[in-house]
Amino acid sequence: MGEAGAEPRPAASLILLRRGGKHRDRGVEILLVRRSPQASFMPGVWVFPGGAVDAVDAGDEEAAHMACAVRELREEAGIELPAGAELLPWSRWITPEPVPVRFDTRFYVALAPAHSPPRPDGMETTEAAWTAPADALERNRSCEIELVFPTIKHLESLLPYSSS
């Protein structure tokens, strides 16, 4: 995989939002996908759709990251964003040097298109679900699902938007 101190690989993830699902007064829900239990990196963990950037054009680095986020949403969750969908930068996380597999990940936030049920691809992702950030955090605390530190921190940052 990688070596400690290795250069982090460019990556992007998309935090897809929708208003409250069945209970529209509940605030926002986010889309999480479960990585395949057979994955070599973070098997079985629930994450935001995302992955490595194929190629970064030094002239338009931001566009390459956004294109990656949109592509990964389509590939991992079967949701296609409409042309011109707005992606807003949310955060940037760089894996610390001691970690053997390193990423320089840009997280974006976008609104889900209407009527967009997720369809996991069955290879990279095996499950997908809309959930309120607080519910996902509670399910992680009770060991129903497994979340990793960056996902937990992003969910916590969304708590102020979780209720109307």
Side-chain angles (χ1 to χ4, degrees), residues 8-15 33 35 42 47-56 61-76 87-93 102-109 124 154:
R9 191 169 173 196
S13 283
L14 188 58
I15 302 169
V33 294
R35 294 183 47 78
M42 295 194 305
V47 296
F48 301 109
V53 176
D54 286 339
V56 176
E61 199 172 314
E62 191 76 17
H65 282 82
M66 288 181 167
C68 172
V70 169
R71 180 192 75 235
E72 292 293 330
L73 175 67
R74 181 180 62 251
E75 290 176 1
E76 295 180 358
L87 272 68
L88 301 173
W90 189 257
S91 70
R92 184 175 181 183
W93 285 64
R102 298 186 67 213
F103 292 96
D104 179 351
T105 307
R106 295 180 190 196
F107 288 83
Y108 298 92
V109 65
E124 281 188 85
H154 282 95

Side-chain angles (χ1 to χ4, degrees), residues 18-30 130-132:
R18 75 174 186 182
R19 181 152 298 277
K22 296 176 195 167
H23 308 285
R24 301 244 177 238
D25 60 339
R26 286 190 7 201
V28 300
E29 289 183 329
I30 48 89
W130 288 105
T131 185

Side-chain angles (χ1 to χ4, degrees), residues 8 19 24 30 39 47 52 80-81 87 96 101 112 116 149 153 161:
R19 181 152 298 277
R24 301 244 177 238
I30 48 89
V47 296
E80 185 80 44
L81 288 182
L87 272 68
V101 179
S116 51
F149 186 74
K153 291 300 168 190
Y161 310 100

